[in-house]
């Protein structure tokens, strides 16, 4: 190869990366120095408005960057944009800080039928759930393979992040607060006839707080943290939900910190839900919930505490699809139900005449309550609910309500200060103080889901009757609440979520 040809190749590869990027461009938007008549391809030639973005076409690998520290009024509305797996279309900020998109009374961002987008390092705000806004903040409608990462979204009447009829969506490190209906929502609420309209949704490392309720919804719930509905395949992990639902106007069924309904194959794990609320005259307001029409789903390694309602709910409402084949394991509830149905776990069947609420495995959980019950059957006798290796400790009866169709085996029951018997339905029951390392209930607070494995409280103390008293069960999982591997020798299993040997 000649020296001239080598020099030409060097120039093409190192001096003109644009050529080898497949024609991808970076577009800049600066509302102080920009002008929509500019090319937009350099910071000094930036566009000025969201309108210019909406009327422009983009292709795989393009980047659309708003000047950090600036506020842009309007709705970014992208339609039918198609990126590629290795060449996503990126919407983000440049310069110092995050750009703020002010949707005012409308959405701040809409992606309609787009694929391979990444929305990152941005902030989205509305005019307020009671101040004129009537929409969600960041709306994904249709499309696939979209990643939302490191964004803040607040002050929208509906949901902060709203995902509808889309698949392969990732929601990472989102802070959703001061919204009405929910912090993060998938599917279409109250969709009828029920359909699984979204698929493969991942929600991780998010904080949803102070989403109080939608003032326009007067006949149903609002004010949840994370709500998965109408979804086939969802993972929610390492998320924090706190202080949601306190201004729901409806006096009936209420919001939950993190929950799912009418969905299949949902996994909720390593999350914290605390201090969530509901209307003072309403229901719910709990930590976690598998509600009507949930199937083949798992809740594990979660911490719930100080919620107005029950820590964990297994509910079926009238008219919902089948609820069955769900698992609740290695979870902790501490002093939940401060205002409503004080208990760690609640079972409620709103359609008792139909056998569509059945089959749940509940094992190695800790439900402890200083003033209420551990487990409460509020309504409906449910067939096929199995309890193994749980710790039920409470001030009132550890398990209350009609539960004759449920099966209890090898659980520990403790009513503080009293020796009790649990109607002899659990032939292997242990009636004893579990001997736990408990926090001070007046000041307990833990808000770091990624550090749950370092939580010092709720472990068994030396001499606890729970040590090596667990029984082996099918599909018992690989780890305990703290991430410890379960012992291979089944005779070394403990009762409760702590599996280290004394």
């Amino acid at each position: 190869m000649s020296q001239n040809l080598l020099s030409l190749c060097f120039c093409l590869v190192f001096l003109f990366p644009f050529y080898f990027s497949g024609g991808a461009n970076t577009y800049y938007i600066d509302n102080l120095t920009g002008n929509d008549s500019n090319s937009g391809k350099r910071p000094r030639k930036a566009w000025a408005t969201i309108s210019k973005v909406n009327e422009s076409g983009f292709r795989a690998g393009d980047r659309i960057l708003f000047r950090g520290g600036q506020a842009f009024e309007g709705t970014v509305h992208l339609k039918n944009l198609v990126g590629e797996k290795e060449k996503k279309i990126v919407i983000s900020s440049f310069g110092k800080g995050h750009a703020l998109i002010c949707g005012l009374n409308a959405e701040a961002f809409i992606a309609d039928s787009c694929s391979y987008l990444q929305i990152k390092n941005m902030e989205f705000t509305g005019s307020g759930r009671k101040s004129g806004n009537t929409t969600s903040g960041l709306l994904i409608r249709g499309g696939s393979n979209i990643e939302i990462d490191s964004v803040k979204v607040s002050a929208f009447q509906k949901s902060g992040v709203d995902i509808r009829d889309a698949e392969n969506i990732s929601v990472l490190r989102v802070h959703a607060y001061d919204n009405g209906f929910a912090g993060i929502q998938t599917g279409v609420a109250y969709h009828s006839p029920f359909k699984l309209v979204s698929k493969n949704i991942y929600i991780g490392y998010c904080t949803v707080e102070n989403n109080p309720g939608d003032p326009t919804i007067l006949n149903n719930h609002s004010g949840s943290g994370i709500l998965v509905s109408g979804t086939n395949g969802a993972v929610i992990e390492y998320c924090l939900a706190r202080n949601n639902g306190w201004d729901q106007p409806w006096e009936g069924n209420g919001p939950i910190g993190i929950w799912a309904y009418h969905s299949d194959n949902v996994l909720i794990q390593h999350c914290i839900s605390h201090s969530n609320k509901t209307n003072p005259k309403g229901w719910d307001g709990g930590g976690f919930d598998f509600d009507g029409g949930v199937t083949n789903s798992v809740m594990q390694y979660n911490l719930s505490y100080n919620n107005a309602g029950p820590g964990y709910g297994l509910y079926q409402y009238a008219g919902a699809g089948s609820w069955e084949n769900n698992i609740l394991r290695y979870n902790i509830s501490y002093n939940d139900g401060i205002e409503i149905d004080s208990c760690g776990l609640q079972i409620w069947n709103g359609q008792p005449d139909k056998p569509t609420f059945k089959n749940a495995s509940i094992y190695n959980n800790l439900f402890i309550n200083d003033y209420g019950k551990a487990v409460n059957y509020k309504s409906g006798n449910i067939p096929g609910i199995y309890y193994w290796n749980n710790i039920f400790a409470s001030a009132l009866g550890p398990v209350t309500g009609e539960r004759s169709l449920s099966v209890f085996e090898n659980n520990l029951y403790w009513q503080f200060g009293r020796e009790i018997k649990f109607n002899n339905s659990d032939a292997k029951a242990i009636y004893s103080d579990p001997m736990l390392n408990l926090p001070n209930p007046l000041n307990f607070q833990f808000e770091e889901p990624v550090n749950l494995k370092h939580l010092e409280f709720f472990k068994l103390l030396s001499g606890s009757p729970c040590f090596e008293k667990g029984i082996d069960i099918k599909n018992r999982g690989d780890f305990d609440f703290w991430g410890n591997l379960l012992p291979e020798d089944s005779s070394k299993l403990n009762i409760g979520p702590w599996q280290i040997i004394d």
Side-chain angles (χ1 to χ4, degrees), residues 7-24 42:
S7 298
L8 177 61
C9 290
F10 177 89
C11 290
L12 288 174
V13 173
F14 294 99
L15 300 183
F16 300 102
F18 168 80
Y19 176 83
F20 288 97
S21 69
R42 295 182 182 179

Side-chain angles (χ1 to χ4, degrees), residues 64-176:
I64 305 161
L65 306 181
F66 293 82
R67 169 72 75 176
Q70 291 186 357
F72 300 82
E73 289 189 3
T75 302
V76 178
H77 194 167
L78 306 179
K79 302 177 183 178
N80 303 308
L81 294 188
V82 180
E84 298 175 8
K85 185 176 182 179
E86 304 300 329
K87 294 181 181 180
K88 294 182 175 68
I89 298 173
V90 177
I91 303 92
S92 189
S93 304
F94 77 99
K96 285 181 130 184
H98 291 178
L100 174 64
I101 308 298
C102 302
L104 300 179
N105 293 341
E107 295 89 348
F109 188 100
I110 302 174
D112 267 326
S113 300
C114 297
S115 64
Y116 291 107
L117 296 186
Q118 183 185 62
I119 303 127
K120 188 172 184 178
N121 297 330
M122 302 278 288
E123 296 185 20
F124 304 96
T125 189
S127 58
R129 66 189 180 95
K130 290 185 174 181
S131 303
N133 187 274
T134 59
T135 69
S136 292
L138 198 162
L139 174 60
I140 306 298
R141 191 161 49 197
S144 64
N145 300 294
I146 296 173
E147 180 181 314
I148 303 165
D149 188 0
S150 302
V151 308
K152 294 182 179 181
V153 55
S154 63
F156 294 92
Q157 188 183 86
K158 304 309 177 188
S159 297
V161 176
D162 189 348
I163 300 166
R164 303 181 186 179
D165 197 16
E167 62 180 56
N168 301 329
I169 309 298
S170 177
V171 182
L172 286 162
R173 292 174 284 271
V174 167
H175 186 191

Side-chain angles (χ1 to χ4, degrees), residues 169-476:
I169 309 298
S170 177
V171 182
L172 286 162
R173 292 174 284 271
V174 167
H175 186 191
Y177 60 98
D178 295 347
N179 303 291
F181 181 77
I184 300 171
Q185 172 196 347
T186 78
V188 179
Y190 322 135
H191 193 286
S192 182
F194 292 117
K195 297 180 181 178
L196 300 184
V197 295
S198 294
K199 182 178 180 181
N200 297 336
I201 308 297
Y202 177 84
I203 302 171
Y205 306 90
C206 297
T207 296
V208 287
E209 60 180 336
N210 201 47
N211 300 286
D214 183 337
T216 70
I217 298 178
L218 305 179
N219 62 352
N220 216 323
H221 63 82
S222 66
S224 292
I226 298 174
L227 170 56
V228 168
S229 63
T231 299
N232 182 4
V235 174
I236 306 170
E237 64 180 6
Y238 300 105
C239 291
L240 170 65
R242 63 186 173 198
N243 196 39
N244 300 288
W246 52 265
D247 196 29
Q248 172 188 267
W250 170 237
E251 296 182 357
N253 56 309
I256 301 288
I258 300 175
W259 63 299
Y261 78 89
H262 193 73
S263 295
D264 183 61
N265 191 25
V266 176
L267 174 62
I268 303 175
Q269 63 179 2
H270 308 296
C271 293
I272 300 173
S273 188
H274 77 87
S275 306
N276 295 290
K277 301 172 177 66
T278 185
N279 185 292
K281 296 181 180 180
W283 316 328
D284 300 316
F288 299 88
D289 171 23
F290 279 160
D291 216 291
V294 170
T295 55
N296 307 308
S297 296
V298 178
M299 270 195 277
Q300 59 185 8
Y301 315 127
N302 301 296
L303 171 64
S304 176
Y305 66 95
N306 291 354
N307 291 288
Y312 298 84
L314 304 181
Y315 302 143
Q316 174 73 331
Y317 59 87
S322 294
W323 190 109
E324 58 187 353
N325 301 329
N326 298 310
I327 295 174
L328 188 70
R329 63 188 182 187
Y330 300 103
N331 300 285
I332 296 173
S333 168
Y334 182 56
N335 285 350
D336 284 308
I338 292 174
E339 299 175 5
I340 301 165
D341 297 327
S342 55
C343 61
L345 170 65
Q346 182 152 271
I347 312 293
W348 178 78
N349 186 8
Q351 54 175 23
D353 296 331
K354 297 181 180 180
T356 55
F357 185 13
K358 60 184 179 181
N359 298 344
S361 298
I362 302 170
Y363 55 91
N364 288 96
N365 301 284
L366 167 61
F367 304 113
I368 183 167
N369 198 300
D370 285 340
Y371 45 80
K373 299 154 282 192
V375 179
N376 179 48
Y377 278 71
K378 186 173 184 178
S379 176
N381 203 359
I382 316 303
I385 309 295
Y386 293 85
Y387 297 83
W388 301 286
N389 299 338
N390 299 285
I391 298 174
F392 304 127
S394 57
L396 302 179
V399 182
T400 59
E402 175 53 48
R403 69 274 182 179
S404 61
L405 297 180
S406 297
V407 176
F408 294 81
E409 182 179 9
N410 206 74
N411 302 283
L412 181 143
Y413 308 87
W414 177 243
Q415 186 169 347
F416 304 141
R418 294 179 59 189
E419 184 174 339
I420 62 162
K421 296 297 180 182
F422 179 58
N423 71 13
N424 296 319
S425 64
D426 188 340
K428 298 181 180 179
I430 297 176
Y431 302 100
S432 179
D433 183 344
M435 298 178 63
L436 301 164
N437 179 25
L438 296 176
N440 183 335
L442 298 179
N443 59 18
F444 174 67
Q445 182 169 307
F446 195 91
E447 296 187 324
E448 300 176 0
V450 295
N451 288 324
L452 279 172
K453 63 183 177 181
H454 301 304
L455 179 64
E456 286 301 317
F457 297 113
F458 309 113
K459 298 176 181 178
L460 301 176
L461 296 173
S462 179
S464 167
C466 298
F467 283 114
E468 300 186 27
K469 293 296 178 63
I471 58 173
D472 199 11
I473 57 178
K474 186 178 180 180
N475 299 324
R476 58 185 167 97

